[in-house]
Each structure stands twice: as C-alpha cells, then as structure tokens.
Amino acid sequence: MPDHTDLLVVGECVADIVRLPDQEDRVHPGGSPANVAYGLARLGHPATLLTQLGPDPNGRLIRDHLASAGVTARTDGSTAATPSAVVTLDGAGQASYAFDVAWTLAPVAVEPAPGHVHTGSIGAVVEPGSATVLGIVRAARATATVSYDPNVRPALMGDHAAAVARVEECVALSDLVKASDEDLEWLYPGEEPEKVAARWLESGPAVVLVTRGGDGALAVLPGRRITVAAAPVDVVDTVGAGDAFMSGTLHALAAHGLLGPGARERLRAVDRDTVTDVLRQAVASAAVTVARAGANPPDAQELREALTRDGAQGASGGARSN
C-alpha cells in the first residue's frame, strides 16, 4: 500500500490532439506533469496538481479526467486557453509533437506544505511561469523531497544554452532526477547518457535515472550503476510512457519510505535492492502504458499484475550493478 505523503505536482496540462493517418483526430488529456499526477492518483496517492486550465472544452475535459482519478487540480485563476499539442504517431507508435502552449503560471500560496514536490517539462523552463515553479521548489526543499523530469520538448525550449542552464538549475534543486536518453542527447549532443547522469549526480541529486526505451532503464548513484531490462510488450503508442515511469518511480519510493519530510538522507543511503525494485516498478508501469492508447497509466492492481507477469516470464530481469 502507498504511504500518505502529500504529493504536489507543478506544471502544465496539455490537450493532446492525437493524429493518425486516415483517422479522425482524438483528444486525450495530457501534459507531462498532469500525466504524472494522474498516474500517482491511479496508484492510490493523494496528489495535487498546480497548473493552468482554461474555461474551454479542453480545460473541462482535462479537469474531469484528473478528477476521475482523484487528483486535486489547483490553478492560478488564469482564463488563458488550455494549452494543446498535435501528436502525430508513426507506424511504430512513436510520437512527435507540435505545440500551442503559453505558460504564465502566477505565484500562488502552496498550502498545506507538501511532503514531496515533482516538476518538469516545459513548466520548469518556459518563462514567465517557470519562475513561479522554481520559487515553489526552492521554498519546499526545507521540508519536502523534490523530483524533476526535464521531458525535453525542443520546439518550446528556446535558446539551447539557456535551456541547458535552466535544466541544470532544476537538477541541482532535486533529490531525484529522471531523463530519457533522447532528452540527454538534445541537451548534450554526442555525450554518453551515463556520463551526463554522473555529472548531474555531482550537482546535488541522490539518484539520477535514465530511461532507454526498449533497452530498459539505468540508475546512477554515487559509485554505483544499476540497470533493469525492459519488459516485452506490443507497443500501441509511446504517449505518456515516460510519465508513467515517473509516477511508478515515485509510487515505489513512497512504499520504501523514501519520499517526504526526513527522507532526503535515507534516499542518499539507498541500497541496491531497493533501487532495483524501484526501477522494476517504474519499467512495468511504462510497459502497461505503451500497450494501450494515450497516456493511460496503470492503477495499483494493474501494476501488481504486470510485475507478477513480468517476474514469471523473467522479463523484469537482468538487474546488474557496477
């Protein structure tokens, strides 16, 4: 069972307009931070999302979607249109994005104080709203653990050097960072993901996770590297896969008592078996999501079934440390 640490996710909601050849457009609630909050609530955690939602059909769709899982949605009162993105899927289910996003989150009081704060994606880098996000993270660090996922969207990141500087600022404020190998390639072209993760680790985080698609995931900790293989799955689409990995990660960390007030030092002392378990749960969460359309992460029962199934097949396997 998950613990009851209050989890605050700060960042954007986006209406994903999914476009397939010779088919009508389908609108899915999305946005990386919103997907993470939704995934956490599906897994049984009290999750609050601080975001922007307009008084328009897309905004109502997303509000209803979040509420259906039990997410508490808070906004800054803005009446700006709900952000949207056209998501084009290729024959292998890989997604590309074209965005219509304005991120102007205004400062709001964060009460009660959360036990853990997660942020990422464009909400943490696109001005002027990113200044609000970073202010919330800095204020929360005194009593909360912090996680971050850059979830790079090149079309919205602006100047490359400035984007890298902001990402590194967010990394340094975080206890846990997760990035995909594609994120790292955009941020640091030609550099090995593991070396980037090790450099990030030196700036502050206790753990840096790198997702590698069909090649599984990697955890980088001081003096240790732990990998877990991907579960075999028939991919429908990859929308929300990284976000499901993130919510699965936080779910597992909470179960191990590694989120919330006082958990920072425990996270820094985390052992290999615990990290392996966290990775396996995160990979299984992502596998469930890619096997069905849209950003549709598992609930707690579905995650348990996936872990049992993958364990029986030996599919979660191959955890190794060096």
Side-chain angles (χ1 to χ4, degrees), residues 242-315:
D243 304 324
F245 183 98
M246 190 74 244
S247 57
T249 295
L250 296 177
H251 171 69
L253 288 171
H256 285 285
L258 295 172
L259 296 184
R264 180 165 291 131
E265 293 309 311
R266 293 196 297 275
L267 187 59
R268 291 192 177 280
V270 68
D271 61 76
R272 176 187 180 278
D273 288 345
T274 299
V275 175
T276 300
D277 180 64
V278 169
L279 284 175
R280 285 176 170 164
Q281 293 199 50
V283 166
S285 181
V288 172
T289 303
V290 301
R292 53 199 189 191
N296 187 6
D299 62 21
Q301 180 61 31
E302 289 172 327
L303 180 57
R304 285 192 294 268
E305 291 172 354
L307 288 165
T308 300
R309 180 173 60 252
D310 295 342
Q313 294 172 350

Side-chain angles (χ1 to χ4, degrees), residues 10-225:
V10 188
E12 74 277 4
C13 291
V14 179
D16 288 336
I17 304 167
V18 179
R19 186 159 295 166
L20 291 164
D22 303 319
Q23 296 186 28
E24 291 188 6
D25 290 350
R26 294 178 285 121
V27 180
H28 291 287
S32 176
N35 291 341
V36 173
Y38 182 81
L40 286 167
R42 292 264 292 166
L43 290 168
H45 298 272
T48 298
L49 176 68
L50 177 57
T51 191
Q52 288 180 287
L53 285 169
D56 49 37
N58 285 340
R60 290 190 292 274
L61 173 72
I62 293 173
R63 283 181 185 275
D64 290 346
H65 171 72
L66 294 170
S68 72
V71 177
T72 300
R74 295 186 56 201
T75 73
D76 62 354
S78 170
T79 58
T82 301
S84 64
V86 174
V87 184
T88 302
L89 300 174
D90 64 16
Q94 296 292 320
S96 60
Y97 297 81
F99 293 92
D100 182 8
V101 175
W103 179 241
T104 59
L105 186 71
V108 296
V110 178
E111 297 176 345
H116 182 82
V117 177
H118 173 75
T119 191
S121 196
I122 62 177
V125 297
V126 173
E127 296 288 6
S130 61
T132 297
V133 175
L134 269 289
I136 290 170
V137 170
R138 290 190 187 97
R141 275 187 57 82
T143 56
T145 44
V146 176
S147 57
Y148 171 63
D149 175 6
N151 193 48
V152 168
R153 296 291 179 250
L156 296 171
M157 300 294 282
D159 176 76
H160 184 269
V164 171
R166 175 52 62 89
V167 166
E168 291 176 348
E169 183 179 8
C170 294
V171 168
L173 288 169
S174 301
D175 299 293
L176 172 83
V177 178
K178 169 258 170 188
S180 70
D181 50 6
E182 292 179 346
D183 291 336
L184 298 181
E185 175 60 27
W186 186 86
L187 291 164
Y188 309 100
E191 292 196 46
E192 293 182 14
E194 187 170 334
K195 290 184 177 179
V196 174
R199 188 166 70 244
W200 278 4
L201 195 69
E202 294 174 355
S203 72
V207 183
V208 177
L209 306 180
V210 179
T211 59
R212 305 185 294 185
D215 292 326
L218 163 74
V220 179
L221 301 91
R224 289 174 290 167
R225 308 292 185 268

